[in-house]
Amino acid sequence: MMNQINHPHPYAPVRQQMRGVSSLIITIQNIMIFYVCLWATSPILGYGLVFRVLAVIAVAIWAVLEMARPQGIFGRMTAPVLFVAVYIVYNITVESVLVGTDGLTVYLQVWIMLFLLVVYESRRYNPATLAPVFWGMLATMPIWIIATYSSLSDGGEFNARRLSRSSDFAREISEQGVGGFGLIYSIVLLLPILLVMLVRLRRFDFRSAPTLLRAIPYGVVGLIAINFVTATILILKAGYSFAVVISLSAVAAAFFIKKRSAALIVIIPVIGVFLLYFGEGIMLTILEILAPIVEGTPYARKVADIVDSLNAQSAVGTAGIRMERYVRSLTLFMENPIFGVFSREQIGKHSPFLDTLAQYGIVIGGIFIYLMLYLPVRMMKLLRNDFSLPFAVFVVVCLQAMTNSVFAAFGVMLFIMFPAACGMLREPTSRKTHRR
């Protein structure tokens, strides 16, 4: 039998060249994305004008390269990208008319977060390409976590709360690598991602990790574990009782929810909201019961530290004050459901979901809620055999956006770290066997 000769496709060289160009573009884009993520999470980079300008340049370079990339997102707009554009344009228009351009700085953190959603959409069919950014972020996060913990241990219990506001103190302490509210609540979202990776190691493909890290025995697992342990300790130490309750809700979802259920998707966030209001008292009661049991052991001091943190003035407000703010926004929305009140000054400023509905009405508010929940819901649909990871993230996003502000750092975890981790998931063996 004569050997068949496979003639190359006439456009093969061109296609190969396009693939090479696309690969180079993605590499450069990843560098730009990493800088934006580092800027959003690193306290040291947060205040310097040069660092901010570099972040703007990084976004611009990413956008230009995305336009040049074959089948880039700007050439095939998806619904989330269009909704991001609608929300930001509406946001800028309303605020410019009512307050002036000076008032736009309040929304920069949200815009950066939504930019990262656009970045995800550009890689939605291959989120594994975000893996280099994922590993780079895991290498840097312990630096800020440990620096912040050291500040709290040295008597800086109020630092995290005071850093949520712009001030000379905030700039000074941030330049020392100490993070605040944004860092604390971003690692609340990172926590369930790391937990699932540790508990289900065999389900993840870590070949995307840097070669040097893989060359070190248990280097990959060690880096994930260091991030998980340091993040857990900081959340407990920081004194944000809501952060502790949200973290526990996410861990419970990651551990106990294995299969998809419409009832669970509704019930768990409701239970989480209940715990946000009553969880602090429940936790303090449990810890008071544990105190005499662990007395005389190395854990006694740890239990006492957690109790002190939850009782500290740095804990995020009281349930009564929060409820008043939530009710204020909800009442304004009910009174102005279509267009909202427009003015930011009237709203409660403590629940992004309720605040946006109150300020801009059901259409724009609904768009914002959709954008926040889009990715966790999408992943819950796609990852039927790994439901615990996207569901845990869904729980955190719901509870966080219902009760606390969201920052650019939160967007890093939601739109970069989360899909990158999902992109490392291996296909179930049973599915491979079925396909054969």
Side-chain angles (χ1 to χ4, degrees):
M1 182 182 296
M2 295 181 59
N3 293 329
Q4 294 183 349
I5 301 176
N6 294 322
H7 295 283
H9 192 281
Y11 296 110
V14 177
R15 289 178 176 175
Q16 185 66 36
Q17 184 179 11
M18 289 179 66
R19 282 196 293 270
V21 170
S22 181
S23 177
L24 177 61
I25 288 176
I26 286 176
T27 299
I28 298 174
Q29 281 185 320
N30 280 345
I31 296 173
M32 301 300 107
I33 297 167
F34 174 70
Y35 178 77
V36 173
C37 292
L38 186 64
W39 174 78
T41 55
S42 167
I44 292 177
L45 303 181
Y47 279 86
L49 177 61
V50 174
F51 300 133
R52 292 177 178 179
V53 171
L54 288 175
V56 172
I57 293 174
V59 171
I61 292 175
W62 178 90
V64 170
L65 291 175
E66 187 64 17
M67 294 176 188
R69 189 168 69 89
Q71 298 184 351
I73 192 64
F74 298 122
R76 49 180 182 85
M77 286 277 195
T78 61
V81 174
L82 290 173
F83 282 140
V84 166
V86 170
Y87 175 82
I88 293 179
V89 169
Y90 189 87
N91 191 192
I92 292 175
T93 303
V94 170
E95 294 304 315
S96 297
V97 171
L98 294 181
V99 183
T101 55
D102 292 341
L104 296 177
T105 55
V106 177
Y107 302 94
L108 286 177
Q109 292 279 336
V110 175
W111 295 348
I112 296 165
M113 180 183 67
L114 294 178
F115 161 72
L116 296 173
L117 169 55
V118 176
V119 169
Y120 162 73
E121 280 295 284
S122 73
R123 309 286 182 87
R124 62 183 294 183
Y125 296 114
N126 193 6
T129 57
L130 292 170
V133 182
F134 177 91
W135 295 112
M137 291 305 300
L138 281 194
T140 60
M141 286 302 295
I143 300 173
W144 325 127
I145 293 174
I146 293 172
T148 304
Y149 178 84
S150 299
S151 172
L152 295 172
S153 298
D154 292 338
E157 288 83 1
F158 294 93
N159 286 353
R161 186 160 178 78
R162 291 172 68 183
L163 275 169
S164 63
R165 303 178 179 89
S166 295
S167 65
D168 292 337
F169 170 81
R171 183 186 185 98
E172 178 184 350
I173 200 72
S174 293
E175 289 174 351
Q176 299 174 22
V178 179
F181 185 93
L183 176 67
I184 302 298
Y185 277 95
S186 68
I187 62 176
V188 168
L189 182 52
L190 180 62
L191 208 62
I193 299 172
L194 299 175
L195 175 63
V196 172
M197 296 183 85
L198 288 172
V199 172
R200 308 186 67 187
L201 280 173
R202 294 184 179 182
R203 289 288 292 113
F204 288 87
D205 184 351
F206 294 129
R207 287 179 294 178
S208 62
T211 304
L212 179 61
L213 187 64
R214 286 185 284 116
I216 302 172
Y218 302 104
V220 173
V221 178
L223 181 60
I224 297 172
I226 288 171
N227 276 270
F228 179 78
V229 172
T230 55
T232 301
I233 294 173
L234 180 57
I235 290 171
L236 293 174
K237 180 65 176 176
Y240 289 96
S241 54
F242 274 36
V244 176
V245 174
I246 294 174
S247 299
L248 290 176
S249 301
V251 168
F255 259 117
F256 301 115
I257 308 301
K258 301 298 181 183
K259 295 183 179 179
R260 199 165 58 180
S261 168
L264 286 173
I265 293 175
V266 176
I267 292 172
I268 295 297
V270 172
I271 294 174
V273 171
F274 172 82
L275 291 175
L276 286 175
Y277 297 114
F278 302 102
E280 183 177 345
I282 295 172
M283 287 177 59
L284 285 171
T285 301
I286 294 173
L287 290 170
E288 288 171 358
I289 294 173
L290 285 176
I293 297 175
V294 299
E295 188 174 354
T297 71
Y299 299 101
R301 184 57 191 167
K302 297 299 181 184
V303 172
D305 283 345
I306 297 172
V307 172
D308 291 341
S309 294
L310 292 176
N311 284 324
Q313 293 297 320
S314 59
V316 182
T318 65
I321 295 174
R322 283 175 169 272
M323 181 60 72
E324 185 276 329
R325 290 176 176 269
Y326 301 149
V327 171
R328 187 194 311 173
S329 288
L330 181 59
T331 301
L332 289 172
F333 169 62
M334 296 298 290
E335 293 174 350
N336 309 272
I338 306 301
F339 298 107
V341 296
F342 294 111
S343 174
R344 176 178 168 80
E345 296 305 315
Q346 301 180 50
I347 62 177
K349 302 186 185 72
H350 236 307
S351 169
F353 282 173
L354 294 177
D355 291 346
T356 309
L357 288 170
Q359 187 175 4
Y360 295 137
I362 188 63
V363 177
I364 301 300
I367 287 176
F368 179 77
I369 293 173
Y370 164 81
L371 293 174
M372 290 298 298
L373 298 180
Y374 158 71
L375 184 53
V377 172
R378 170 179 166 81
M379 290 301 181
M380 283 193 290
K381 292 179 180 178
L382 294 176
L383 302 178
R384 298 180 180 180
N385 297 291
D386 299 280
F387 187 72
S388 60
L389 174 56
F391 184 67
V393 171
F394 173 81
V395 168
V396 174
V397 174
C398 284
L399 298 181
Q400 173 70 15
M402 276 296 296
T403 59
N404 283 299
S405 301
V406 289
F407 293 87
F410 192 79
V412 172
M413 304 307 165
L414 177 57
F415 297 121
I416 302 298
M417 303 296 280
F418 169 48
C422 291
M424 297 179 203
L425 279 165
R426 288 193 176 98
E427 189 178 12
T429 305
S430 58
R431 188 184 298 176
K432 290 181 178 180
T433 304
H434 176 73
R435 286 183 177 178
R436 289 174 184 170

